[in-house]
Amino acid sequence: MEPVRMPLRVRYHECDPQGVVFNANYLAYFDMASFEFLAAVLGKSTGLNDHGVDFVVAESNVRYLRALRFEDELVVSVRIAHLGNTSLVLEFEIQRGDETVATGTNRYVFVDEKTLTKKAPPDEIRVKLLEYQALAATPDPA
């Protein structure tokens, strides 16, 4: 199974005066792709909220490999790197054509939607994440 993939075109306002995508925008791309991931796994991007939980970013890491520029067409891929009791690590890869331009991870902590205190996701969510993780680890027959 393929990871969740989100196509994107770099917009002018995402670039710095040198015409290169400003570094913080890579994290914005990760964030947008995480919502695509939730929609693919849970049926909609707000699927966590339907169960009274959400997740918040506890840690982000980005490795910049190549510069992105205005109007570059890219794809952000997302896969589960780790699922803990109250946390989830998503792994991201940004590609321009066949070239990987950045990789990174976000560690999310599941929280109660109202109090924002750490909370394990409901079993229904955990099962869907585990099913997706297992399918994503299985190579597609070619």
Side-chain angles (χ1 to χ4, degrees), residues 89-124:
V89 178
L90 294 181
E91 184 175 75
F92 302 90
E93 180 179 54
I94 301 175
Q95 289 188 287
R96 177 181 47 215
D98 293 333
E99 178 183 38
T100 299
V101 297
T103 59
T105 58
N106 276 351
R107 182 172 59 88
Y108 299 90
V109 174
F110 291 98
V111 296
D112 179 275
E113 182 181 35
K114 290 185 173 73
T115 65
L116 298 180
T117 56
K118 187 164 52 168
K119 175 182 181 178
D123 289 341
E124 182 178 343

PDB file of all heavy atoms in Angstrom, residues 89-124:
ATOM      1  N   VAL A  89       3.798   9.023  15.738  1.00  0.00           N
ATOM      2  CA  VAL A  89       4.843   9.688  14.963  1.00  0.00           C
ATOM      3  C   VAL A  89       4.534   9.467  13.491  1.00  0.00           C
ATOM      4  O   VAL A  89       4.412   8.325  13.037  1.00  0.00           O
ATOM      5  CB  VAL A  89       6.251   9.153  15.305  1.00  0.00           C
ATOM      6  CG1 VAL A  89       7.302   9.841  14.431  1.00  0.00           C
ATOM      7  CG2 VAL A  89       6.566   9.355  16.781  1.00  0.00           C
ATOM      8  N   LEU A  90       4.367  10.586  12.774  1.00  0.00           N
ATOM      9  CA  LEU A  90       4.183  10.523  11.329  1.00  0.00           C
ATOM     10  C   LEU A  90       5.484  10.918  10.655  1.00  0.00           C
ATOM     11  O   LEU A  90       6.165  11.856  11.088  1.00  0.00           O
ATOM     12  CB  LEU A  90       3.061  11.461  10.871  1.00  0.00           C
ATOM     13  CG  LEU A  90       1.655  11.110  11.342  1.00  0.00           C
ATOM     14  CD1 LEU A  90       0.647  12.122  10.795  1.00  0.00           C
ATOM     15  CD2 LEU A  90       1.263   9.701  10.942  1.00  0.00           C
ATOM     16  N   GLU A  91       5.796  10.202   9.594  1.00  0.00           N
ATOM     17  CA  GLU A  91       7.009  10.445   8.818  1.00  0.00           C
ATOM     18  C   GLU A  91       6.588  11.074   7.492  1.00  0.00           C
ATOM     19  O   GLU A  91       5.645  10.601   6.847  1.00  0.00           O
ATOM     20  CB  GLU A  91       7.692   9.101   8.590  1.00  0.00           C
ATOM     21  CG  GLU A  91       9.013   9.158   7.891  1.00  0.00           C
ATOM     22  CD  GLU A  91       9.616   7.767   7.839  1.00  0.00           C
ATOM     23  OE1 GLU A  91       9.132   6.946   7.021  1.00  0.00           O
ATOM     24  OE2 GLU A  91      10.534   7.508   8.625  1.00  0.00           O
ATOM     25  N   PHE A  92       7.278  12.121   7.098  1.00  0.00           N
ATOM     26  CA  PHE A  92       6.949  12.863   5.883  1.00  0.00           C
ATOM     27  C   PHE A  92       8.117  12.843   4.911  1.00  0.00           C
ATOM     28  O   PHE A  92       9.285  12.857   5.320  1.00  0.00           O
ATOM     29  CB  PHE A  92       6.631  14.329   6.220  1.00  0.00           C
ATOM     30  CG  PHE A  92       5.503  14.491   7.183  1.00  0.00           C
ATOM     31  CD1 PHE A  92       5.738  14.536   8.549  1.00  0.00           C
ATOM     32  CD2 PHE A  92       4.194  14.595   6.743  1.00  0.00           C
ATOM     33  CE1 PHE A  92       4.703  14.685   9.458  1.00  0.00           C
ATOM     34  CE2 PHE A  92       3.145  14.744   7.644  1.00  0.00           C
ATOM     35  CZ  PHE A  92       3.406  14.787   8.994  1.00  0.00           C
ATOM     36  N   GLU A  93       7.776  12.841   3.629  1.00  0.00           N
ATOM     37  CA  GLU A  93       8.778  12.972   2.577  1.00  0.00           C
ATOM     38  C   GLU A  93       8.207  13.914   1.531  1.00  0.00           C
ATOM     39  O   GLU A  93       7.068  13.722   1.081  1.00  0.00           O
ATOM     40  CB  GLU A  93       9.096  11.611   1.950  1.00  0.00           C
ATOM     41  CG  GLU A  93      10.134  11.695   0.850  1.00  0.00           C
ATOM     42  CD  GLU A  93      10.462  10.332   0.266  1.00  0.00           C
ATOM     43  OE1 GLU A  93       9.514   9.630  -0.151  1.00  0.00           O
ATOM     44  OE2 GLU A  93      11.648   9.998   0.222  1.00  0.00           O
ATOM     45  N   ILE A  94       8.965  14.930   1.168  1.00  0.00           N
ATOM     46  CA  ILE A  94       8.548  15.867   0.131  1.00  0.00           C
ATOM     47  C   ILE A  94       9.385  15.572  -1.107  1.00  0.00           C
ATOM     48  O   ILE A  94      10.614  15.572  -1.049  1.00  0.00           O
ATOM     49  CB  ILE A  94       8.728  17.333   0.563  1.00  0.00           C
ATOM     50  CG1 ILE A  94       7.909  17.623   1.826  1.00  0.00           C
ATOM     51  CG2 ILE A  94       8.346  18.278  -0.567  1.00  0.00           C
ATOM     52  CD1 ILE A  94       8.112  19.021   2.400  1.00  0.00           C
ATOM     53  N   GLN A  95       8.666  15.334  -2.224  1.00  0.00           N
ATOM     54  CA  GLN A  95       9.354  15.036  -3.476  1.00  0.00           C
ATOM     55  C   GLN A  95       8.944  16.029  -4.552  1.00  0.00           C
ATOM     56  O   GLN A  95       7.790  16.434  -4.626  1.00  0.00           O
ATOM     57  CB  GLN A  95       9.023  13.634  -3.956  1.00  0.00           C
ATOM     58  CG  GLN A  95       9.657  12.561  -3.102  1.00  0.00           C
ATOM     59  CD  GLN A  95       9.453  11.195  -3.726  1.00  0.00           C
ATOM     60  OE1 GLN A  95       8.346  10.684  -3.690  1.00  0.00           O
ATOM     61  NE2 GLN A  95      10.510  10.655  -4.303  1.00  0.00           N
ATOM     62  N   ARG A  96       9.921  16.386  -5.361  1.00  0.00           N
ATOM     63  CA  ARG A  96       9.694  17.167  -6.585  1.00  0.00           C
ATOM     64  C   ARG A  96      10.104  16.233  -7.708  1.00  0.00           C
ATOM     65  O   ARG A  96      11.286  15.949  -7.885  1.00  0.00           O
ATOM     66  CB  ARG A  96      10.553  18.429  -6.566  1.00  0.00           C
ATOM     67  CG  ARG A  96      10.453  19.280  -7.814  1.00  0.00           C
ATOM     68  CD  ARG A  96      11.340  20.507  -7.748  1.00  0.00           C
ATOM     69  NE  ARG A  96      12.683  20.152  -7.302  1.00  0.00           N
ATOM     70  CZ  ARG A  96      13.445  20.934  -6.524  1.00  0.00           C
ATOM     71  NH1 ARG A  96      13.005  22.097  -6.117  1.00  0.00           N
ATOM     72  NH2 ARG A  96      14.642  20.540  -6.158  1.00  0.00           N
ATOM     73  N   GLY A  97       9.107  15.696  -8.397  1.00  0.00           N
ATOM     74  CA  GLY A  97       9.389  14.650  -9.390  1.00  0.00           C
ATOM     75  C   GLY A  97       9.951  13.435  -8.678  1.00  0.00           C
ATOM     76  O   GLY A  97       9.386  12.963  -7.690  1.00  0.00           O
ATOM     77  N   ASP A  98      11.080  12.951  -9.141  1.00  0.00           N
ATOM     78  CA  ASP A  98      11.727  11.793  -8.518  1.00  0.00           C
ATOM     79  C   ASP A  98      12.724  12.180  -7.430  1.00  0.00           C
ATOM     80  O   ASP A  98      13.359  11.321  -6.836  1.00  0.00           O
ATOM     81  CB  ASP A  98      12.464  10.961  -9.578  1.00  0.00           C
ATOM     82  CG  ASP A  98      11.511  10.296 -10.555  1.00  0.00           C
ATOM     83  OD1 ASP A  98      10.353  10.027 -10.159  1.00  0.00           O
ATOM     84  OD2 ASP A  98      11.916  10.056 -11.707  1.00  0.00           O
ATOM     85  N   GLU A  99      12.872  13.465  -7.180  1.00  0.00           N
ATOM     86  CA  GLU A  99      13.879  13.977  -6.249  1.00  0.00           C
ATOM     87  C   GLU A  99      13.272  14.240  -4.869  1.00  0.00           C
ATOM     88  O   GLU A  99      12.290  14.967  -4.741  1.00  0.00           O
ATOM     89  CB  GLU A  99      14.440  15.275  -6.831  1.00  0.00           C
ATOM     90  CG  GLU A  99      15.450  15.975  -5.983  1.00  0.00           C
ATOM     91  CD  GLU A  99      15.896  17.285  -6.615  1.00  0.00           C
ATOM     92  OE1 GLU A  99      15.050  17.987  -7.218  1.00  0.00           O
ATOM     93  OE2 GLU A  99      17.076  17.597  -6.492  1.00  0.00           O
ATOM     94  N   THR A 100      13.860  13.659  -3.832  1.00  0.00           N
ATOM     95  CA  THR A 100      13.443  13.951  -2.461  1.00  0.00           C
ATOM     96  C   THR A 100      14.091  15.264  -2.041  1.00  0.00           C
ATOM     97  O   THR A 100      15.315  15.392  -2.079  1.00  0.00           O
ATOM     98  CB  THR A 100      13.859  12.819  -1.503  1.00  0.00           C
ATOM     99  OG1 THR A 100      13.222  11.605  -1.931  1.00  0.00           O
ATOM    100  CG2 THR A 100      13.451  13.128  -0.070  1.00  0.00           C
ATOM    101  N   VAL A 101      13.258  16.239  -1.652  1.00  0.00           N
ATOM    102  CA  VAL A 101      13.784  17.548  -1.282  1.00  0.00           C
ATOM    103  C   VAL A 101      13.798  17.779   0.224  1.00  0.00           C
ATOM    104  O   VAL A 101      14.539  18.628   0.713  1.00  0.00           O
ATOM    105  CB  VAL A 101      13.030  18.695  -1.994  1.00  0.00           C
ATOM    106  CG1 VAL A 101      13.218  18.606  -3.496  1.00  0.00           C
ATOM    107  CG2 VAL A 101      11.564  18.695  -1.639  1.00  0.00           C
ATOM    108  N   ALA A 102      12.986  17.022   0.965  1.00  0.00           N
ATOM    109  CA  ALA A 102      12.977  17.156   2.426  1.00  0.00           C
ATOM    110  C   ALA A 102      12.324  15.917   3.033  1.00  0.00           C
ATOM    111  O   ALA A 102      11.479  15.280   2.412  1.00  0.00           O
ATOM    112  CB  ALA A 102      12.223  18.405   2.869  1.00  0.00           C
ATOM    113  N   THR A 103      12.753  15.601   4.245  1.00  0.00           N
ATOM    114  CA  THR A 103      12.125  14.543   5.024  1.00  0.00           C
ATOM    115  C   THR A 103      11.924  15.076   6.434  1.00  0.00           C
ATOM    116  O   THR A 103      12.569  16.049   6.838  1.00  0.00           O
ATOM    117  CB  THR A 103      12.994  13.263   5.086  1.00  0.00           C
ATOM    118  OG1 THR A 103      14.261  13.590   5.683  1.00  0.00           O
ATOM    119  CG2 THR A 103      13.215  12.670   3.698  1.00  0.00           C
ATOM    120  N   GLY A 104      11.044  14.438   7.172  1.00  0.00           N
ATOM    121  CA  GLY A 104      10.843  14.892   8.544  1.00  0.00           C
ATOM    122  C   GLY A 104       9.842  14.040   9.284  1.00  0.00           C
ATOM    123  O   GLY A 104       9.250  13.107   8.719  1.00  0.00           O
ATOM    124  N   THR A 105       9.685  14.373  10.547  1.00  0.00           N
ATOM    125  CA  THR A 105       8.722  13.691  11.402  1.00  0.00           C
ATOM    126  C   THR A 105       8.014  14.705  12.292  1.00  0.00           C
ATOM    127  O   THR A 105       8.573  15.762  12.611  1.00  0.00           O
ATOM    128  CB  THR A 105       9.384  12.637  12.313  1.00  0.00           C
ATOM    129  OG1 THR A 105      10.380  13.284  13.128  1.00  0.00           O
ATOM    130  CG2 THR A 105      10.026  11.520  11.515  1.00  0.00           C
ATOM    131  N   ASN A 106       6.811  14.354  12.663  1.00  0.00           N
ATOM    132  CA  ASN A 106       6.080  15.054  13.716  1.00  0.00           C
ATOM    133  C   ASN A 106       5.659  14.002  14.733  1.00  0.00           C
ATOM    134  O   ASN A 106       5.115  12.968  14.356  1.00  0.00           O
ATOM    135  CB  ASN A 106       4.814  15.737  13.198  1.00  0.00           C
ATOM    136  CG  ASN A 106       5.064  17.093  12.595  1.00  0.00           C
ATOM    137  OD1 ASN A 106       6.147  17.645  12.688  1.00  0.00           O
ATOM    138  ND2 ASN A 106       4.046  17.642  11.967  1.00  0.00           N
ATOM    139  N   ARG A 107       5.932  14.280  15.995  1.00  0.00           N
ATOM    140  CA  ARG A 107       5.407  13.432  17.081  1.00  0.00           C
ATOM    141  C   ARG A 107       4.200  14.147  17.648  1.00  0.00           C
ATOM    142  O   ARG A 107       4.278  15.296  18.082  1.00  0.00           O
ATOM    143  CB  ARG A 107       6.448  13.203  18.171  1.00  0.00           C
ATOM    144  CG  ARG A 107       5.925  12.264  19.285  1.00  0.00           C
ATOM    145  CD  ARG A 107       7.024  11.872  20.275  1.00  0.00           C
ATOM    146  NE  ARG A 107       7.624  13.008  20.922  1.00  0.00           N
ATOM    147  CZ  ARG A 107       7.186  13.578  22.042  1.00  0.00           C
ATOM    148  NH1 ARG A 107       6.119  13.106  22.647  1.00  0.00           N
ATOM    149  NH2 ARG A 107       7.811  14.606  22.563  1.00  0.00           N
ATOM    150  N   TYR A 108       3.065  13.460  17.580  1.00  0.00           N
ATOM    151  CA  TYR A 108       1.799  13.990  18.065  1.00  0.00           C
ATOM    152  C   TYR A 108       1.448  13.295  19.373  1.00  0.00           C
ATOM    153  O   TYR A 108       1.725  12.115  19.542  1.00  0.00           O
ATOM    154  CB  TYR A 108       0.668  13.719  17.065  1.00  0.00           C
ATOM    155  CG  TYR A 108       0.881  14.352  15.724  1.00  0.00           C
ATOM    156  CD1 TYR A 108       1.557  13.670  14.716  1.00  0.00           C
ATOM    157  CD2 TYR A 108       0.409  15.626  15.449  1.00  0.00           C
ATOM    158  CE1 TYR A 108       1.752  14.247  13.475  1.00  0.00           C
ATOM    159  CE2 TYR A 108       0.601  16.207  14.214  1.00  0.00           C
ATOM    160  CZ  TYR A 108       1.275  15.514  13.226  1.00  0.00           C
ATOM    161  OH  TYR A 108       1.478  16.084  11.999  1.00  0.00           O
ATOM    162  N   VAL A 109       0.796  14.023  20.260  1.00  0.00           N
ATOM    163  CA  VAL A 109       0.259  13.456  21.484  1.00  0.00           C
ATOM    164  C   VAL A 109      -1.257  13.582  21.396  1.00  0.00           C
ATOM    165  O   VAL A 109      -1.786  14.651  21.074  1.00  0.00           O
ATOM    166  CB  VAL A 109       0.798  14.192  22.734  1.00  0.00           C
ATOM    167  CG1 VAL A 109       0.116  13.684  23.998  1.00  0.00           C
ATOM    168  CG2 VAL A 109       2.304  14.034  22.830  1.00  0.00           C
ATOM    169  N   PHE A 110      -1.939  12.470  21.641  1.00  0.00           N
ATOM    170  CA  PHE A 110      -3.401  12.496  21.669  1.00  0.00           C
ATOM    171  C   PHE A 110      -3.848  13.197  22.939  1.00  0.00           C
ATOM    172  O   PHE A 110      -3.278  12.976  24.013  1.00  0.00           O
ATOM    173  CB  PHE A 110      -3.964  11.069  21.637  1.00  0.00           C
ATOM    174  CG  PHE A 110      -3.739  10.377  20.328  1.00  0.00           C
ATOM    175  CD1 PHE A 110      -2.688   9.498  20.169  1.00  0.00           C
ATOM    176  CD2 PHE A 110      -4.582  10.613  19.248  1.00  0.00           C
ATOM    177  CE1 PHE A 110      -2.470   8.856  18.965  1.00  0.00           C
ATOM    178  CE2 PHE A 110      -4.374   9.975  18.031  1.00  0.00           C
ATOM    179  CZ  PHE A 110      -3.321   9.094  17.886  1.00  0.00           C
ATOM    180  N   VAL A 111      -4.866  14.041  22.797  1.00  0.00           N
ATOM    181  CA  VAL A 111      -5.375  14.804  23.933  1.00  0.00           C
ATOM    182  C   VAL A 111      -6.896  14.787  23.930  1.00  0.00           C
ATOM    183  O   VAL A 111      -7.534  14.579  22.887  1.00  0.00           O
ATOM    184  CB  VAL A 111      -4.886  16.275  23.921  1.00  0.00           C
ATOM    185  CG1 VAL A 111      -3.383  16.363  24.083  1.00  0.00           C
ATOM    186  CG2 VAL A 111      -5.343  16.995  22.651  1.00  0.00           C
ATOM    187  N   ASP A 112      -7.468  15.013  25.113  1.00  0.00           N
ATOM    188  CA  ASP A 112      -8.908  15.210  25.228  1.00  0.00           C
ATOM    189  C   ASP A 112      -9.245  16.495  24.479  1.00  0.00           C
ATOM    190  O   ASP A 112      -8.583  17.521  24.640  1.00  0.00           O
ATOM    191  CB  ASP A 112      -9.294  15.335  26.707  1.00  0.00           C
ATOM    192  CG  ASP A 112     -10.766  15.553  26.903  1.00  0.00           C
ATOM    193  OD1 ASP A 112     -11.202  16.726  26.837  1.00  0.00           O
ATOM    194  OD2 ASP A 112     -11.489  14.555  27.105  1.00  0.00           O
ATOM    195  N   GLU A 113     -10.273  16.439  23.669  1.00  0.00           N
ATOM    196  CA  GLU A 113     -10.632  17.575  22.820  1.00  0.00           C
ATOM    197  C   GLU A 113     -10.969  18.839  23.613  1.00  0.00           C
ATOM    198  O   GLU A 113     -10.650  19.947  23.196  1.00  0.00           O
ATOM    199  CB  GLU A 113     -11.823  17.178  21.944  1.00  0.00           C
ATOM    200  CG  GLU A 113     -12.266  18.239  20.979  1.00  0.00           C
ATOM    201  CD  GLU A 113     -13.462  17.806  20.164  1.00  0.00           C
ATOM    202  OE1 GLU A 113     -14.329  17.081  20.696  1.00  0.00           O
ATOM    203  OE2 GLU A 113     -13.524  18.210  19.004  1.00  0.00           O
ATOM    204  N   LYS A 114     -11.559  18.684  24.778  1.00  0.00           N
ATOM    205  CA  LYS A 114     -11.980  19.854  25.560  1.00  0.00           C
ATOM    206  C   LYS A 114     -10.893  20.355  26.513  1.00  0.00           C
ATOM    207  O   LYS A 114     -10.646  21.547  26.616  1.00  0.00           O
ATOM    208  CB  LYS A 114     -13.252  19.518  26.334  1.00  0.00           C
ATOM    209  CG  LYS A 114     -14.465  19.361  25.427  1.00  0.00           C
ATOM    210  CD  LYS A 114     -15.736  19.152  26.228  1.00  0.00           C
ATOM    211  CE  LYS A 114     -16.960  19.174  25.369  1.00  0.00           C
ATOM    212  NZ  LYS A 114     -17.191  18.054  24.532  1.00  0.00           N
ATOM    213  N   THR A 115     -10.237  19.435  27.222  1.00  0.00           N
ATOM    214  CA  THR A 115      -9.276  19.852  28.250  1.00  0.00           C
ATOM    215  C   THR A 115      -7.845  19.936  27.726  1.00  0.00           C
ATOM    216  O   THR A 115      -6.983  20.496  28.393  1.00  0.00           O
ATOM    217  CB  THR A 115      -9.296  18.870  29.433  1.00  0.00           C
ATOM    218  OG1 THR A 115      -8.830  17.588  28.977  1.00  0.00           O
ATOM    219  CG2 THR A 115     -10.694  18.762  30.027  1.00  0.00           C
ATOM    220  N   LEU A 116      -7.597  19.345  26.561  1.00  0.00           N
ATOM    221  CA  LEU A 116      -6.264  19.277  25.963  1.00  0.00           C
ATOM    222  C   LEU A 116      -5.248  18.541  26.845  1.00  0.00           C
ATOM    223  O   LEU A 116      -4.050  18.758  26.737  1.00  0.00           O
ATOM    224  CB  LEU A 116      -5.743  20.664  25.578  1.00  0.00           C
ATOM    225  CG  LEU A 116      -6.575  21.411  24.535  1.00  0.00           C
ATOM    226  CD1 LEU A 116      -5.964  22.774  24.231  1.00  0.00           C
ATOM    227  CD2 LEU A 116      -6.747  20.598  23.254  1.00  0.00           C
ATOM    228  N   THR A 117      -5.742  17.683  27.724  1.00  0.00           N
ATOM    229  CA  THR A 117      -4.856  16.850  28.534  1.00  0.00           C
ATOM    230  C   THR A 117      -4.628  15.524  27.801  1.00  0.00           C
ATOM    231  O   THR A 117      -5.490  15.037  27.067  1.00  0.00           O
ATOM    232  CB  THR A 117      -5.453  16.580  29.930  1.00  0.00           C
ATOM    233  OG1 THR A 117      -6.743  15.987  29.786  1.00  0.00           O
ATOM    234  CG2 THR A 117      -5.554  17.873  30.740  1.00  0.00           C
ATOM    235  N   LYS A 118      -3.453  14.954  28.026  1.00  0.00           N
ATOM    236  CA  LYS A 118      -3.068  13.719  27.348  1.00  0.00           C
ATOM    237  C   LYS A 118      -4.100  12.632  27.595  1.00  0.00           C
ATOM    238  O   LYS A 118      -4.582  12.447  28.712  1.00  0.00           O
ATOM    239  CB  LYS A 118      -1.690  13.274  27.842  1.00  0.00           C
ATOM    240  CG  LYS A 118      -1.133  12.102  27.077  1.00  0.00           C
ATOM    241  CD  LYS A 118       0.340  11.872  27.271  1.00  0.00           C
ATOM    242  CE  LYS A 118       0.789  11.792  28.680  1.00  0.00           C
ATOM    243  NZ  LYS A 118       2.165  11.301  28.823  1.00  0.00           N
ATOM    244  N   LYS A 119      -4.430  11.917  26.519  1.00  0.00           N
ATOM    245  CA  LYS A 119      -5.458  10.890  26.612  1.00  0.00           C
ATOM    246  C   LYS A 119      -5.215   9.862  25.508  1.00  0.00           C
ATOM    247  O   LYS A 119      -4.940  10.226  24.361  1.00  0.00           O
ATOM    248  CB  LYS A 119      -6.840  11.538  26.415  1.00  0.00           C
ATOM    249  CG  LYS A 119      -8.005  10.586  26.365  1.00  0.00           C
ATOM    250  CD  LYS A 119      -9.304  11.352  26.121  1.00  0.00           C
ATOM    251  CE  LYS A 119     -10.490  10.406  26.082  1.00  0.00           C
ATOM    252  NZ  LYS A 119     -11.748  11.138  25.885  1.00  0.00           N
ATOM    253  N   ALA A 120      -5.307   8.603  25.841  1.00  0.00           N
ATOM    254  CA  ALA A 120      -5.174   7.555  24.829  1.00  0.00           C
ATOM    255  C   ALA A 120      -6.331   7.657  23.838  1.00  0.00           C
ATOM    256  O   ALA A 120      -7.457   7.972  24.234  1.00  0.00           O
ATOM    257  CB  ALA A 120      -5.166   6.180  25.489  1.00  0.00           C
ATOM    258  N   PRO A 121      -6.070   7.404  22.562  1.00  0.00           N
ATOM    259  CA  PRO A 121      -7.170   7.446  21.595  1.00  0.00           C
ATOM    260  C   PRO A 121      -8.131   6.287  21.838  1.00  0.00           C
ATOM    261  O   PRO A 121      -7.722   5.233  22.352  1.00  0.00           O
ATOM    262  CB  PRO A 121      -6.455   7.300  20.249  1.00  0.00           C
ATOM    263  CG  PRO A 121      -5.206   6.558  20.567  1.00  0.00           C
ATOM    264  CD  PRO A 121      -4.807   7.012  21.948  1.00  0.00           C
ATOM    265  N   PRO A 122      -9.386   6.432  21.486  1.00  0.00           N
ATOM    266  CA  PRO A 122     -10.338   5.329  21.639  1.00  0.00           C
ATOM    267  C   PRO A 122      -9.889   4.122  20.810  1.00  0.00           C
ATOM    268  O   PRO A 122      -9.184   4.267  19.814  1.00  0.00           O
ATOM    269  CB  PRO A 122     -11.642   5.901  21.093  1.00  0.00           C
ATOM    270  CG  PRO A 122     -11.464   7.365  21.043  1.00  0.00           C
ATOM    271  CD  PRO A 122     -10.010   7.630  20.939  1.00  0.00           C
ATOM    272  N   ASP A 123     -10.327   2.949  21.236  1.00  0.00           N
ATOM    273  CA  ASP A 123      -9.941   1.711  20.547  1.00  0.00           C
ATOM    274  C   ASP A 123     -10.271   1.754  19.061  1.00  0.00           C
ATOM    275  O   ASP A 123      -9.503   1.264  18.237  1.00  0.00           O
ATOM    276  CB  ASP A 123     -10.610   0.497  21.198  1.00  0.00           C
ATOM    277  CG  ASP A 123     -10.034   0.185  22.575  1.00  0.00           C
ATOM    278  OD1 ASP A 123      -8.917   0.647  22.874  1.00  0.00           O
ATOM    279  OD2 ASP A 123     -10.715  -0.519  23.344  1.00  0.00           O
ATOM    280  N   GLU A 124     -11.403   2.341  18.707  1.00  0.00           N
ATOM    281  CA  GLU A 124     -11.796   2.412  17.299  1.00  0.00           C
ATOM    282  C   GLU A 124     -10.753   3.162  16.457  1.00  0.00           C
ATOM    283  O   GLU A 124     -10.421   2.757  15.344  1.00  0.00           O
ATOM    284  CB  GLU A 124     -13.158   3.101  17.175  1.00  0.00           C
ATOM    285  CG  GLU A 124     -13.668   3.178  15.758  1.00  0.00           C
ATOM    286  CD  GLU A 124     -15.035   3.831  15.663  1.00  0.00           C
ATOM    287  OE1 GLU A 124     -15.740   3.936  16.672  1.00  0.00           O
ATOM    288  OE2 GLU A 124     -15.386   4.233  14.541  1.00  0.00           O
TER     289      GLU A 124
END
